[in-house]
Amino acid sequence: MPLADISLAYWNTVLIFAGYIAIITLGQYVSMSSGSLSVAHAAMAGAGAYTGGLLTRDFGAPLPIAMLGGALVGFVFGIVLGFLSVRLHLLVAGLMTLAYSEVMVVVAFSLDYLGGANGLTGVPALTSFWLVYLMLAVLVLAIWRYDTSRLGYAARACRDDPRAAAAMGINVAWVKSLTFALGAAVAALGGVLRIHYTLVETPDGLGFYQGMNFLILAVFGGSYVVWGAVFGGFTLTVLPEILRFSAADRYILYGAVLTVIIIVRPQGVITRVPLGADGGARWAWRLRKRLMARLVAGGAKRPGEER
Amino acid sequence: MEQFFQQVVNGVMVGSSYAIVALGFGLTFSVMHVLNLAHPETAMVGAFAAFVVATLFTTNLLVVIPLAVLAALLAGLLIERLAIRPTRGRHILTSFIATGGLSIVMQNGAQRIFGVDPVRVAVQVEGVQTVGGVIASNMQLMTFGLAVAMMVGARYYVRNTRWGRATRAVSEKHEVAQALGVDINRVSQLTVGLSTAMAGAAGVSLALLHSQATPFMGAIFGTKSFVCMLVAGNRHIEGIMFVGILLGVLEALVAGYISASLRDMVAFGILVLVLYLRPAGIFGSYEHD
């Protein structure tokens, strides 16, 4: 189907999807900023969605209250999980989050109040295009500020070398748990927005494969800059839609693109500083330097710098 | 009591397949420091190869199993070349995503070729053995025997052969091994090839036990095998085998006595418990990042 045939309403839907997926990926980014490995963010988004959906459906709460409630629940789950897994090996902590999300799936399945296998339904439609993108903008701004805040610096210190961070007087356990919980809260917020658009939340959406998906989005986009998460969440949602063949074909292409790009740019597509060891980035960096030199006519060159 | 032993026997049979796939996970992870997410998909490749051979040519097991293993081996070598060799020595998440991308390609490729619905693998081994009221089909016994043979073979290879020693050297410190003349690419091929060939055999076993194969069979099966590897610790062959079989048995017992819907939680329950008590697995050692 050529692109022009696809209606505006269709793209509206795709872009709203991309918007809240980018928000959940931002949550993943915040949690990963302190060096945690998480596949639980789908479950966090799910927890937020269930909470928010229940609040608006059964208690008649307005959407802002639902978003607040969802984020709060995500934060609480996040801080508990963060403290449980803070002293474990990176992989093991990741597996702890995996176990958590699988447990959440079973809980959502077996509680009749949450709709069981059919999922939570009957939620009012409250999410609009502008709301999603407003929230995305606010969150990007907030997380961009977070990156240069004391907590953000402390988180990155914990990621790069926890022992050195501890020696500098940073409470590693606390910082890691707190950032993990903040990320979980952001993901839960995305979940609240999601359920008020899709109007249903099923237990399947909480499991390992969904969680891995958000991890992939964040790492693919680049887990070192806030734009990386937005880029990853956005591109990898829209990409399968642009590659419109049959469903199987487009995922074949999606997987291939993922593999190729992560091999070419292992730090993700968007990075803070181009990597010295990486051919493609070095090339782009040189190109940029050349352009800059041309823009700033005869611009000052540091000794030893190539044109 | 008979029912209890019956469940145990069924669990052992399924568990041995978990164990074989987990063994491959552990081998690749210990030696190459790579988490091969496409590893369970090679089991799926083996299952579909068995389907193709059984449908088009012959249902003779002596032909079906080697050809399926060969197909899985080739798939494994392809994965090694495309996603494992280029990401070796980088951050573990890089290999995780590169192989994850390939696993998406493989799942959907299989779906493209064979369709979403399960295909019927028409290979049958007739007959059952009965011991004191406990029934085990010859098919189950055969897959169990295959699994044990592979475990013994893998252990022999790693412990007692020249290439096995090179493999262990690479897993200890690959720079030193390289300096002493070990061809790391060859070790990488051998390791991944061996792992995926075993996974292929496990895939055939599953396809034969359930008489069917689906494009997404690797997913849940792979997750549980992965959990087995983590619970056991990645370096201990017998340990992984033991935990795999134990998981199979516990799942069968939970499904039989408590509730079938809780079955899939067993693996994760064990995982949380073990990681809490022994953060490096029962038998120890995840590599350092």
Side-chain angles (χ1 to χ4, degrees):
Chain A
M1 195 163 24
L3 282 181
D5 287 359
I6 301 164
S7 70
L8 205 60
Y10 171 79
W11 279 104
N12 190 33
T13 310
V14 170
L15 287 179
I16 289 180
F17 273 42
Y20 63 67
I21 287 173
I23 290 178
I24 300 173
T25 314
L26 277 176
Q28 181 91 40
Y29 164 76
V30 173
S31 291
M32 284 173 76
S33 67
S34 59
S36 306
L37 172 64
S38 166
V39 290
H41 278 64
M44 294 300 181
Y50 272 110
T51 313
L54 286 175
L55 280 175
T56 48
R57 189 190 71 175
D58 292 354
F59 301 97
L63 189 60
I65 301 288
M67 293 200 300
L68 213 60
L72 199 65
V73 168
F75 186 84
V76 171
F77 280 145
I79 207 132
V80 171
L81 191 54
F83 267 116
L84 274 180
S85 52
V86 74
R87 294 195 190 281
L88 299 174
H89 179 280
L90 174 79
L91 267 183
V92 182
L95 260 290
M96 206 70 167
T97 63
L98 158 64
Y100 160 80
S101 45
E102 292 298 328
V103 169
M104 290 291 281
V105 171
V106 174
V107 168
F109 250 118
S110 38
L111 282 184
D112 288 336
Y113 182 57
L114 298 178
N118 293 329
L120 187 71
T121 49
V123 179
L126 298 173
T127 301
S128 70
F129 182 88
W130 296 113
L131 179 67
V132 169
Y133 280 86
L134 181 70
M135 285 312 299
L136 184 61
V138 169
L139 285 171
V140 166
L141 192 68
I143 292 166
W144 183 54
R145 297 287 300 142
Y146 154 84
D147 273 339
T148 51
S149 69
R150 282 178 67 87
L151 183 61
Y153 283 123
R156 258 171 282 142
C158 294
R159 179 188 65 199
D160 293 338
D161 193 335
R163 259 173 284 183
M168 296 300 291
I170 296 171
N171 186 343
V172 177
W174 174 240
V175 167
K176 287 191 82 160
S177 312
L178 185 63
T179 47
F180 189 88
L182 284 175
V186 173
L189 194 71
V192 178
L193 288 172
R194 177 173 68 190
I195 195 173
H196 290 98
Y197 186 73
T198 59
L199 308 185
V200 61
E201 182 72 24
T202 53
D204 301 332
L206 277 61
F208 170 55
Y209 272 80
Q210 291 301 317
M212 213 175 70
N213 197 26
F214 289 114
L215 178 65
I216 286 176
L217 297 182
V219 175
F220 173 86
S223 51
Y224 286 73
V225 215
V226 59
W227 301 112
V230 179
F231 176 84
F234 206 82
T235 327
L236 291 190
T237 313
V238 177
L239 187 69
E241 300 300 328
I242 294 176
L243 308 170
R244 285 197 70 84
F245 313 106
S246 75
D249 279 348
R250 75 166 103 145
Y251 281 103
I252 293 173
L253 255 175
Y254 173 90
V257 168
L258 208 59
T259 305
V260 169
I261 290 192
I262 206 70
I263 288 172
V264 178
R265 280 187 70 82
Q267 299 298 96
V269 175
I270 296 181
T271 49
R272 189 180 296 276
V273 182
L275 303 160
D278 186 59
R282 203 154 43 184
W283 178 79
W285 189 237
R286 251 188 248 136
L287 188 75
R288 201 195 104 146
K289 256 195 273 184
R290 247 177 248 164
L291 288 174
M292 291 301 278
R294 207 163 283 177
L295 284 175
V296 185
K301 268 171 271 161
R302 268 169 277 150
E305 200 172 63
E306 51 184 325
R307 271 190 76 106
Chain B
M1 209 56 200
E2 253 172 38
Q3 195 206 347
F4 175 80
F5 282 114
Q6 184 66 56
Q7 299 287 7
V8 169
V9 167
N10 291 345
V12 168
M13 302 307 164
V14 176
S16 64
S17 297
Y18 287 148
I20 288 304
V21 177
L23 199 56
F25 256 130
L27 209 60
T28 314
F29 181 56
S30 312
V31 179
M32 307 316 301
H33 304 276
V34 156
L35 278 178
N36 184 4
L37 275 190
H39 184 70
E41 309 315 330
T42 56
M44 183 268 293
V45 169
F48 273 103
F51 162 72
V52 170
V53 174
T55 317
L56 296 182
F57 305 114
T58 166
T59 55
N60 185 349
L61 274 181
L62 290 179
V63 181
V64 171
I65 294 181
L67 282 180
V69 170
L70 188 67
L73 174 69
L74 291 178
L77 290 180
L78 203 62
I79 294 168
E80 195 273 336
R81 191 66 197 85
L82 291 177
I84 294 181
R85 203 181 291 183
T87 56
R88 195 173 65 216
R90 294 201 178 140
H91 194 272
I92 196 154
L93 281 179
T94 310
S95 63
F96 191 75
I97 293 186
T99 53
L102 280 190
S103 106
I104 296 174
V105 171
M106 288 166 80
Q107 285 175 359
N108 287 285
Q111 188 195 339
R112 182 85 166 73
I113 301 170
F114 299 103
V116 193
D117 298 324
V119 294
R120 213 183 114 63
V121 183
V123 183
Q124 273 301 331
V125 179
E126 301 296 332
V128 293
Q129 305 291 327
T130 313
V131 180
V134 177
I135 303 167
S137 70
N138 283 351
M139 180 82 90
Q140 285 179 322
L141 291 174
M142 190 201 72
T143 59
F144 181 66
L146 199 62
V148 171
M150 275 187 299
M151 189 206 84
V152 173
R155 193 181 188 292
Y156 179 80
Y157 165 75
V158 172
R159 292 271 165 222
N160 299 60
T161 63
R162 201 175 153 73
W163 278 108
R165 195 161 57 179
T167 309
R168 277 181 290 144
V170 172
S171 85
E172 286 294 331
K173 198 124 192 92
H174 66 91
E175 294 94 342
V176 178
Q178 200 163 23
L180 293 175
V182 176
D183 182 348
I184 294 203
N185 285 337
R186 185 53 48 82
V187 168
S188 172
Q189 279 176 337
L190 276 170
T191 309
V192 178
L194 179 69
S195 308
T196 52
M198 290 194 300
V204 182
S205 302
L206 276 184
L208 298 188
L209 278 179
H210 300 149
S211 307
Q212 66 173 28
T214 67
F216 298 97
M217 63 188 280
I220 183 75
F221 190 71
T223 315
K224 283 182 191 165
S225 308
F226 187 44
V227 168
C228 280
M229 188 272 273
L230 286 157
V231 168
N234 53 318
R235 280 185 173 264
H236 207 279
I237 293 179
E238 296 89 343
I240 292 178
M241 196 71 192
F242 171 74
V243 171
I245 290 177
L246 187 72
L247 176 65
V249 170
L250 284 177
E251 280 196 350
L253 289 179
V254 167
Y257 284 102
I258 304 174
S259 149
S261 63
L262 284 181
R263 200 179 83 153
D264 291 342
M265 261 191 66
V266 175
F268 300 103
I270 297 177
L271 183 67
V272 172
L273 191 70
V274 168
L275 292 189
Y276 192 74
L277 298 175
R278 280 189 70 87
I282 297 179
F283 301 98
S285 169
Y286 307 129
E287 315 304 317
H288 303 290
D289 285 333

